């Protein structure tokens, strides 16, 4: 089983603050995806990174894939209450549709 | 375009019973994957179906099974339910051939085993 450890597990911050969530593994993945899940809903894909060292930006969210394709980070600038949710990283293998999900980071942004 | 539809939304069963969950993928999507989500274990891959064939399987006992129909709709079945089977069961569809096969998840079926 390929494990993806996320840190921190829980994060509670004030609106306007910055934060970084980490996703680490001892395994190499062909791609790394980040999802956000809200209560009572399924995860929604935010981004996919495939190249070691790749950086992608989605408005106030910045995603980075580690050079060795074993780890990733998600940085949120000026967090807003709408960013509240469970953030999940997921590693994928070439040619397979089974993702290995991380342990999750539950983010709460307080107005 | 309608999203992934899972039914029922909530289900309560007792130990020893069996249950069938249903998933209708996004129109045109031929791949359907199933995941189990629990507070302790997080999201774990159950199996994936493509063109009515199981293409991939996770590390779950044989009590967990599934199938896919010619219209790509999928069902999963859990027999002889155990308390530990209580979980949110998520279905995701994708359109194979897309780069990195983006998964679209349904809202899930919350199963409680008493």
């Amino acid at each position: 089983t390929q494990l993806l450890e996320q840190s921190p597990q829980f994060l509670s911050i004030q609106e306007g603050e910055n934060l970084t969530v980490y996703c680490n593994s001892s395994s190499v993945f062909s791609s790394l995806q980040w999802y956000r899940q809200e209560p009572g809903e399924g995860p929604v894909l935010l981004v996919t990174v495939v190249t070691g060292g790749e950086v992608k930006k989605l408005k106030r969210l910045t995603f980075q894939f580690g050079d060795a394709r074993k780890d990733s980070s998600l940085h949120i600038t000026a967090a807003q209450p709408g960013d509240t949710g469970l953030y999940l990283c997921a590693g994928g293998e070439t040619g397979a549709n089974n993702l290995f999900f991380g342990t999750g980071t539950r983010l709460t942004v307080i107005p | 375009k309608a999203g992934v539809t899972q039914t029922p939304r909530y289900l309560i069963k007792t130990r020893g019973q069996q249950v069938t969950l249903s998933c209708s993928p996004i129109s045109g999507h031929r791949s359907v994957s199933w995941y189990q989500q629990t507070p302790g274990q997080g999201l774990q891959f159950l199996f994936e179906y493509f063109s009515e064939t199981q293409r991939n399987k996770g590390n779950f006992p044989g009590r967990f099974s599934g199938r896919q129909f010619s219209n790509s709709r999928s069902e999963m079945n859990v027999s002889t339910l155990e308390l530990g089977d209580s979980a949110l069961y998520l279905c995701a569809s994708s359109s194979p051939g897309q780069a990195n096969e983006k998964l679209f998840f349904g809202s899930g079926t919350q199963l409680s085993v008493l």
Side-chain angles (χ1 to χ4, degrees):
Chain A
T1 302
Q2 291 160 295
L3 296 174
L4 281 158
E5 295 286 338
Q6 287 184 237
S7 61
Q9 188 177 357
F10 298 95
L11 192 53
S12 182
I13 61 171
Q14 293 290 136
E15 182 177 358
E17 292 184 347
N18 302 332
L19 67 115
T20 302
V21 176
Y22 300 93
C23 172
N24 296 295
S25 174
S26 57
S27 301
V28 175
F29 293 102
S30 62
S31 67
L32 201 297
Q33 300 181 347
W34 283 93
Y35 290 81
R36 181 172 69 211
Q37 184 178 20
E38 298 185 23
E41 298 297 329
V44 175
L45 180 66
L46 296 174
V47 78
T48 300
V49 285
V50 298
T51 306
E54 182 177 1
V55 176
K56 277 192 176 179
K57 290 192 175 184
L58 186 67
K59 296 183 181 178
R60 295 177 293 99
L61 279 59
T62 302
F63 305 86
Q64 185 163 9
F65 202 10
D67 291 340
R69 290 187 290 135
K70 291 183 180 182
D71 54 85
S72 180
S73 64
L74 157 60
H75 181 80
I76 300 179
T77 304
Q80 298 177 0
D83 296 327
T84 293
L86 177 66
Y87 287 81
L88 296 158
C89 64
E93 299 175 319
T94 304
N97 225 9
N98 54 312
L99 294 176
F100 297 92
F101 277 85
T103 47
T105 295
R106 192 165 296 281
L107 170 66
T108 302
V109 182
I110 303 165
Chain B
K1 211 176 200 183
V4 178
T5 304
Q6 291 189 246
T7 56
R9 197 79 162 84
Y10 302 93
L11 208 46
I12 300 175
K13 292 285 187 179
T14 56
R15 279 183 301 172
Q17 288 187 312
Q18 68 92 29
V19 67
T20 299
L21 312 181
S22 179
C23 172
S24 293
I26 291 172
S27 178
H29 285 191
R30 294 165 62 194
S31 170
V32 173
S33 304
W34 288 89
Y35 289 80
Q36 181 196 64
Q37 186 174 28
T38 59
Q41 298 297 319
L43 266 149
Q44 292 185 288
F45 173 75
L46 281 156
F47 28 65
E48 184 217 355
Y49 286 86
F50 176 74
S51 291
E52 302 178 64
T53 301
Q54 188 180 88
R55 191 161 66 169
N56 226 328
K57 189 177 189 303
N59 293 323
F60 278 82
R63 300 185 297 106
F64 291 82
S65 63
R67 60 177 175 168
Q68 186 179 33
F69 302 95
S70 57
N71 61 358
S72 294
R73 191 177 70 85
S74 177
E75 289 181 347
M76 68 162 281
N77 184 78
V78 188
S79 61
T80 320
L81 284 165
E82 300 177 0
L83 295 179
D85 296 334
S86 294
L88 179 67
Y89 289 88
L90 291 160
C91 161
S93 76
S94 68
S95 179
Q98 284 188 344
N100 302 305
E101 298 192 14
K102 179 178 179 178
L103 295 184
F104 295 82
F105 283 87
S107 299
T109 293
Q110 184 68 53
L111 172 65
S112 298
V113 182
L114 306 178

